[in-house]
Amino acid sequence: MRRIDPEAVREHFENLSDEQLRAQNEADISRADAEYEEFVAAYQIGECYLCGKSFKTISKSSPCVHWLLRQCKFKKKDFPLVYEKFGYVQIAAFVRWVANQERFLSSINDLADEKGDRKILEYTVKWKNIEWTFDCSKNDYEGHGGTHSNFPHFHFQMRIDSKPFINFGDFHIPFSEEDLFHLDLAQALPDSFHHWFGKGGVGMQDAAEVSPEDIIEYTEHTDNHDEATYRLQTMIMAGETPFSGEQLQAMFEESKRTGATLASLARKYLPDAESINTVVSPADSVPTIARRSERKRR
């Protein structure tokens, strides 16, 4: 399998002008957006944009990644047919796009600070009653292992109604050349290259990179915790003048009427507060990353 030379790629891009870089980025984004819009149009009518068939169909002679939605009679033994045709990047993009159709951002827990130190990939995606988890340790990426795993690979888990369907240890899934192109660049040149799944594949890491001020100002309150992306906890310390019941009632009523967060309204209704501090964290409904324990090599 061919592997790229990251330094050669870096030198290539450094030799491009700003205008050439901008044109290439715009072309890449335009192409990705067009593919995503094609996906959305098909998804809305219950069809797969890749094979053009209903999610409920399965054809062993024409494997497709939509089998992972389990709307058809897909079985664990069929999974090699999928990953032999579609690499990590294609599989991951599809399930991320699907998940964001149901619940944007918070259906994908790819938070960097929750990823293990020895992991290249470790994140969980939830769609309806299904959870998919992608996992790749540094040993997996480097191809260290026995004869059955001495190549760059990743592991995959699938749960349906929280019950096992595919386990991490069932398959050692080889990365394709396309996969390794993206991973090698991201690992060797993290400040210059970052693989992105497009606007439809964003997850909680993207949500975490939004400034806390913008989250407080522009997000809306919801009583349905399953729909939440963030959890806002605001601590208010009164100054010399106590808060009045009218102030608090007006603040709560506006929040209920407009959806504005209490954190943003506190500054408006409680100007005499000594301090107003808000802690922003992922919502409780964000899926927990399923963990895979590496076997210790003797």
Side-chain angles (χ1 to χ4, degrees), residues 246-258:
E246 289 79 7
Q247 284 176 300
L248 296 174
Q249 182 178 353
M251 182 174 67
F252 282 108
E253 286 180 351
E254 181 170 341
S255 176
K256 185 175 181 179
R257 184 177 68 255
T258 66

Side-chain angles (χ1 to χ4, degrees), residues 9-289:
V9 174
R10 181 184 61 78
E11 290 177 8
H12 168 74
F13 280 100
E14 285 182 348
N15 289 328
L16 296 178
S17 66
D18 290 344
E19 184 176 343
Q20 288 174 315
L21 282 172
R22 184 165 51 253
Q24 182 164 329
N25 286 334
E26 289 176 354
D28 289 342
I29 292 172
S30 177
R31 183 167 55 252
D33 285 351
E35 182 177 358
Y36 177 66
E37 295 305 324
E38 185 182 353
F39 159 81
V40 172
Y43 180 89
Q44 291 175 344
I45 58 175
E47 292 183 356
C48 176
Y49 85 108
L50 291 169
C51 68
K53 298 177 182 177
S54 166
F55 289 148
K56 296 180 180 180
T57 63
I58 182 170
S59 173
K60 300 292 181 67
S61 62
S62 182
C64 191
V65 71
H66 81 257
W67 294 1
L68 294 176
L69 302 183
R70 199 77 198 312
Q71 302 294 292
C72 57
K73 295 181 179 180
F74 170 61
K75 298 179 180 179
K76 180 170 72 173
K77 66 180 182 179
D78 301 321
F79 186 45
L81 296 175
V82 175
Y83 69 68
E84 287 169 2
K85 181 177 180 180
F86 301 92
Y88 159 72
V89 169
Q90 289 180 295
I91 294 173
F94 185 84
V95 300
R96 291 172 76 109
W97 290 1
V98 162
N100 273 329
Q101 302 308 301
E102 295 295 313
R103 193 157 60 104
F104 193 61
L105 292 171
S106 56
S107 59
I108 302 172
N109 187 348
D110 57 354
L111 288 164
D113 61 2
E114 294 190 14
K115 185 177 72 172
D117 293 338
R118 291 183 51 77
K119 300 291 185 176
I120 303 297
L121 301 171
E122 189 179 38
Y123 63 89
T124 292
V125 180
K126 182 176 176 60
W127 176 77
K128 297 183 184 294
N129 64 329
I130 299 177
E131 284 191 359
W132 303 281
T133 300
F134 298 85
D135 186 290
C136 175
S137 70
K138 292 180 180 179
N139 282 339
D140 299 331
Y141 171 65
E142 293 167 359
H144 295 165
T147 55
H148 66 294
S149 59
N150 60 351
F151 51 88
H153 64 275
F154 67 99
H155 293 265
F156 180 80
Q157 176 177 279
M158 181 172 172
R159 293 285 183 263
I160 302 175
D161 293 323
S162 300
K163 298 177 181 178
F165 184 74
I166 296 174
N167 294 318
F168 285 127
D170 290 338
F171 303 98
H172 293 76
I173 308 166
F175 286 117
S176 68
E177 286 189 5
E178 178 191 2
D179 298 334
L180 290 173
F181 174 84
H182 295 292
L183 291 170
D184 287 348
L185 284 179
Q187 292 302 305
L189 306 170
D191 295 333
S192 303
F193 294 93
H194 170 69
H195 179 66
W196 190 51
F197 290 98
K199 63 184 181 182
V202 291
M204 283 305 298
Q205 182 56 39
D206 296 278
E209 292 172 3
V210 178
S211 73
E213 292 77 13
D214 285 345
I215 293 171
I216 291 170
E217 184 67 26
Y218 298 112
T219 56
E220 294 185 356
H221 171 77
T222 177
D223 290 325
N224 185 348
H225 292 178
D226 288 339
E227 295 178 352
T229 301
Y230 304 101
R231 182 184 184 193
L232 274 60
Q233 296 173 289
T234 300
M235 293 150 283
I236 305 172
M237 183 174 292
E240 295 181 359
T241 305
F243 305 140
S244 70
E246 289 79 7
Q247 284 176 300
L248 296 174
Q249 182 178 353
M251 182 174 67
F252 282 108
E253 286 180 351
E254 181 170 341
S255 176
K256 185 175 181 179
R257 184 177 68 255
T258 66
T261 64
L262 292 173
S264 65
L265 295 175
R267 291 159 175 76
K268 172 183 176 181
Y269 284 96
L270 308 173
D272 296 327
E274 182 175 321
S275 65
I276 301 174
N277 297 306
T278 299
V279 176
V280 180
S281 57
D284 293 339
S285 58
V286 173
T288 300
I289 298 176

